[in-house]
Amino acid sequence: MEWQKAAAARAAARKGMGFLKMTERKPVRLVAFDLDGTTLHGHAQLSARNRQAMERASAAGVLLVPATGRVKNFIPPCLTELPFIRYAITSNGGAVWDLREDRLLCSDLIPTETAMQVQRIFDDYPLYVEYYVNGSGVTRRGDPEKAGTLYGLPEKLFYFLTKRYVFADSLSGYLRETGAEPEKINMMFIPEKVREAVLLRLRALDGIEITYSNVDNIEINRRGCNKGTALVSLCAALGLDPAETMAVGDNGNDLGMLRAAGLAAVVGNGIPAVKALADVVVAPCAEDGFAEAVERFALAEG
């Protein structure tokens, strides 16, 4: 695809030349931003500065679009209650939503048979598994209550068990009986003792894309699906040029949208592989690096 060629050229330019001058760029009309580790403080708080940057950018006509690995119904109220947050890229690009109308704009789903192949691997290990389907998380009945004791989920991740789940007695049975095509398959934590074995078997499967948003998890999408492909699809639906966008991220599941966007901003706590694609590295998440990126490049304040 042409956008992929253009993104590859931009990535090469970033590595070879560094940050390109603002005079060579189109004005930013859309900011796609990752949540955890990039914009949110904790897991569900928006700092005053980050909120103010969003409000000012919106007033200037810039679209603010969450671009997250989270499923739609787990985007926190600090964002969904903002009147100017209309569109959201969710499930690492598996689904793009119009939040105002609660309408799916576009999707790139994992075929049922592929999901069942993945689940047959998971059935051999003690793993906490989630399927993201139709904007909601699906997991085994009773698993959230025993995630810490049975699956070793660390306490720092317990917040992510507070999703509004759909429960199934068997995930294999759920896929078989419903024919569900997941937006994403998620393991928020995988024990180190089985991680390499699971990854080895997953990598042997056709048709899936494996990414990470922290050192302990595994996120699975359809092959070729990522936040970048979703960003381009959203731009097409809105009549925007991807060159008029800025992406802000920090981790492996942000690589696609950083390559696709006209300007790639990475917060200071970002991993090295992500920083390597950055046009600019801003302050860490905890120091409101997201707001810095918006102020400097969407609002052109320096």
Side-chain angles (χ1 to χ4, degrees):
M1 296 174 66
E2 289 303 315
W3 75 266
Q4 290 173 317
K5 294 178 182 177
R10 286 198 296 275
R14 285 167 186 154
K15 282 191 174 183
M17 299 168 56
F19 170 46
L20 301 179
K21 295 179 181 178
M22 284 298 294
T23 55
E24 299 172 6
R25 298 184 179 279
K26 293 186 176 183
V28 173
R29 297 179 59 193
L30 183 153
V31 177
F33 57 95
D34 175 58
L35 303 189
D36 298 290
T38 299
T39 304
L40 297 179
H41 287 210
H43 297 305
Q45 290 81 45
L46 190 63
S47 72
R49 183 183 174 192
N50 282 348
R51 177 172 177 143
Q52 289 164 5
M54 289 183 185
E55 290 171 341
R56 293 175 58 216
S58 177
V62 178
L63 292 173
L64 285 305
V65 178
T68 179
R70 297 189 188 201
V71 71
K72 175 176 71 78
N73 76 0
F74 200 52
I75 300 174
C78 67
L79 291 171
T80 57
E81 291 175 356
L82 297 175
F84 50 81
I85 300 288
R86 177 168 184 174
Y87 305 105
I89 295 168
T90 68
S91 301
N92 283 345
V96 181
W97 292 88
D98 181 331
L99 299 177
R100 187 179 301 170
E101 298 182 2
D102 194 25
R103 178 169 59 94
L104 184 65
L105 290 180
C106 53
S107 61
D108 195 353
L109 306 178
I110 301 169
T112 308
E113 179 54 38
T114 302
M116 292 181 69
Q117 291 174 359
V118 171
Q119 186 57 44
R120 282 194 282 272
I121 294 172
F122 291 165
D123 284 341
D124 290 339
Y125 304 92
L127 300 171
Y128 188 89
V129 180
E130 301 174 329
Y131 286 81
Y132 292 174
V133 180
N134 296 326
S136 297
V138 180
T139 196
R140 280 180 293 248
R141 195 179 317 278
D143 272 10
E145 293 80 6
K146 56 189 178 185
T149 54
L150 182 60
Y151 302 113
L153 193 76
E155 188 173 352
K156 66 181 180 179
L157 296 177
F158 282 5
Y159 167 79
F160 292 96
L161 300 173
T162 63
K163 299 178 183 71
R164 297 192 304 276
Y165 282 113
V166 173
F167 292 107
D169 292 322
S170 161
L171 292 176
S172 294
Y174 167 81
L175 292 168
R176 184 172 55 253
E177 292 161 15
T178 66
E181 295 183 307
E183 302 162 10
K184 172 184 150 182
I185 305 170
N186 188 58
M187 286 180 292
M188 67 185 79
F189 174 79
I190 178 167
E192 187 175 354
K193 63 184 178 181
V194 300
R195 182 180 181 85
E196 287 307 314
V198 172
L199 280 172
L200 184 66
R201 294 177 66 182
L202 288 174
R203 287 170 180 151
L205 294 181
D206 291 328
I208 63 171
E209 191 102 1
I210 303 171
T211 55
Y212 316 92
S213 57
N214 65 62
V215 296
D216 297 324
N217 80 333
I218 295 176
E219 305 177 25
I220 300 171
N221 287 84
R222 182 173 181 162
R223 174 80 70 189
C225 172
N226 57 63
K227 294 181 184 181
T229 57
L231 176 59
V232 172
S233 295
L234 177 59
C235 285
L238 299 177
L240 295 176
D241 184 343
E244 298 174 304
T245 68
M246 175 172 70
V248 191
D250 77 306
N251 221 310
N253 64 345
D254 298 320
L255 287 167
M257 72 172 180
L258 292 167
R259 291 189 181 103
L263 192 151
V266 175
V267 289
N269 52 284
I271 64 172
V274 174
K275 287 181 176 178
L277 284 179
D279 292 311
V280 62
V281 176
V282 292
C285 175
E287 298 174 20
D288 294 333
F290 166 79
E292 179 190 341
V294 171
E295 291 159 1
R296 289 175 59 188
F297 305 111
L299 297 172
E301 295 179 347

